[in-house]
Amino acid sequence: MKVLLPDTVELDPELPDGAVAFVYDVRRPLPDEHTDAEVLVVWGNPPDTLADAARRLTNLRWVQTLAAGPDAVLQAGFGPDVVITAGLGLHDQTVAEHTLALVLAVARRLHLLVRAQIGHRWAQEWGGLQPVHETGSFRTLRDADVVIWGFGGIAATLAPLLTALGAQVTGVARTPGVRHGYRVVTEEAFPELLPRTDVLISILPATPATAHVLNAAVLAQLPAHAWVVNVGRGTTVDEPALLAALREGRIGGAALDVFDTEPLPPASPFWDEPNVLITPHAAGGRPVGAAALISENLGAFVADRPLRNLITR
């Protein structure tokens, strides 16, 4: 069994008997001698070479993407007989860390302080004596109401970090209940939940059901001081609606790691919005534990056992 490993991350998985691994360049079409591969591991593959692999790997039986979301693989055109597994769990720590950094940055207005530093200006309005209890503004996680939309593994890692700094965390998912000690509700609870929200964090995947769900109707239910943080997928946000809410002062600001079009075009109006913090899809990028996941799934694949993170199509 031939296994193709991407050159975008160092991998040394344990291979079952009879399996041979080859490293391939994700930026180039696969060499003809590797088109007989049965297993393809994907990480950072451009859409064109991924689609080329879908067309030319005629013996392919399984694709393991190291991304938490399988949207790129699903769009590449692999046949219905090809099993697809995702990298759920590999990005929990890194995305949680980046999200916490964004939330703290906007609470402490670091984006404005950096601009002041560039201009050699002592931004006294953000320093010195400050009120212990500030109303109508998000300035601290202490006693803040934080809503995490998309309560999976990343949220389960992030929520205790927010709690440790004093936040009250509520999750939103398709199924209500209690997960990892946190109350989780469905979107039907938004009218009760959002009007008292200080920070709305989106970790939603890209699916047909989530396209532009963070829209004008959702934004209208937030208080004027609330911040939106998106570390999921850019396709989940109605960007014109978000831009309008920002410019009209109907929300406090937005910290955005992902966008509908990436890289974000230089002409995008988001660059110049004073209350927008932009990072370049930097929350993940490091699949921690990838080799172990590949080893586990290779063993299961050979033994005809259920694979971890199987995607249902």
Side-chain angles (χ1 to χ4, degrees), residues 272-287:
D272 296 318
E273 285 299 310
N275 286 323
V276 171
L277 176 59
I278 293 171
T279 55
H281 205 139
R286 292 157 289 180

Side-chain angles (χ1 to χ4, degrees), residues 90-277:
L90 303 182
H91 306 275
D92 292 357
Q93 292 181 340
T94 54
V95 177
E97 182 180 53
H98 192 86
T99 308
L100 180 63
L102 291 178
V103 173
L104 289 173
V106 299
R108 295 296 180 168
R109 301 301 190 264
L110 294 189
H111 60 298
L112 299 179
L113 294 174
V114 168
R115 293 178 186 179
Q117 178 182 349
I118 293 172
H120 296 191
R121 184 178 72 86
W122 185 262
Q124 182 61 43
E125 68 272 24
W126 301 114
L129 303 180
Q130 301 172 55
V132 175
H133 302 287
E134 188 169 356
T135 59
S137 178
F138 170 61
R139 293 299 309 281
T140 177
L141 278 171
R142 177 171 35 84
D143 298 324
D145 281 304
V146 179
V147 173
I148 304 178
W149 194 0
F151 205 89
I154 295 170
T157 303
L158 173 64
L161 304 178
L162 299 170
T163 299
L165 293 173
Q168 306 296 317
V169 178
T170 305
V172 179
R174 287 177 295 182
T175 305
V178 176
R179 299 185 189 177
H180 308 282
Y182 291 91
R183 175 181 172 232
V184 176
V185 300
T186 64
E187 296 169 17
E188 282 69 27
F190 274 173
E192 170 262 328
L193 193 64
L194 295 183
R196 56 180 174 81
T197 295
D198 297 302
V199 184
L200 173 60
I201 299 173
S202 175
I203 319 180
L204 293 170
T207 69
T210 63
H212 295 174
V213 290
L214 209 170
N215 53 28
V218 172
L219 294 168
Q221 297 178 70
L222 292 169
H225 70 271
W227 278 72
V228 170
V229 178
N230 188 17
V231 292
R233 286 291 186 267
T235 56
T236 65
V237 176
D238 183 338
E239 291 185 354
L242 177 59
L243 187 63
L246 289 164
R247 288 180 167 174
E248 295 167 14
R250 291 186 278 109
I251 62 171
L256 307 171
D257 185 55
V258 288
F259 293 87
D260 226 337
T261 299
E262 295 181 2
L264 185 65
S268 171
F270 282 111
W271 290 112
D272 296 318
E273 285 299 310
N275 286 323
V276 171
L277 176 59

